[in-house]
Amino acid sequence: MTIKVKAKPADPDTVVRHAARLRDAAADSYDEVWCVVDVDEFDLAKAVVTARRARVNLAISNPCFEYWLLLHFEACTAPLTCYSDVAKRLRKHVPGYDKSALDFADYASGVDAAVERALKPGHTLTTEHEHNPATGVWALVQKVL
């Protein structure tokens, strides 16, 4: 398996369209294309439709990607805000947490638990933007594993 990570800091719909263009320019080089996006302040409904039409998979985290990281350590089903709730709780488990310098070793032992916790609420994949908290990163992780 070869995984290529391409960063595109933009709104989720732009990220999806960018990923589809990269895939199309590579002419059958990819079996699957995934975009990992946060809800943050964005309206994800447009990105979900764009992704479906463009055959791009979405891993949405609501309210933010850090929620997926938090699930490696604890279950959480109450509504959250990213920085005042999620980041604060995450720092209890990873005191040196730095959003721009993630170390997989900090999370490796909790991957199975995070997948299980993410699946527990039973949300349909790509509806995570409608539920706080929720994440679809588990689906990408299962593909990789």
Side-chain angles (χ1 to χ4, degrees), residues 32-110:
E32 294 186 26
V33 174
W34 285 79
C35 292
V36 178
V37 297
D38 291 348
V39 168
D40 288 330
E41 74 279 358
F42 300 112
D43 176 6
L44 269 282
K46 184 177 179 184
V48 169
V49 170
T50 301
R52 191 175 304 121
R53 287 182 181 152
R55 298 174 333 277
V56 170
N57 299 290
L58 276 179
I60 301 168
S61 286
N62 187 4
C64 54
F65 180 76
E66 288 79 5
Y67 173 65
W68 165 248
L69 299 177
L70 181 61
L71 290 178
H72 288 69
F73 303 101
E74 63 180 80
C76 181
T77 58
L80 299 164
T81 61
C82 192
Y83 297 103
S84 61
D85 295 331
V86 180
K88 180 189 264 183
R89 289 169 73 164
L90 188 55
R91 282 190 180 91
K92 290 178 184 175
H93 302 286
V94 183
Y97 168 74
D98 179 354
K99 179 177 183 162
S100 61
L102 296 180
D103 183 354
F104 180 71
D106 292 333
Y107 307 94
S109 65

Side-chain angles (χ1 to χ4, degrees), residues 67 77 117-136 138:
Y67 173 65
T77 58
R117 290 173 181 142
L119 285 167
K120 211 164 210 140
H123 306 305
T124 304
L125 195 60
T126 72
T127 65
E128 293 84 6
H129 61 290
E130 299 170 358
H131 309 279
N132 179 348
T135 183
W138 63 268

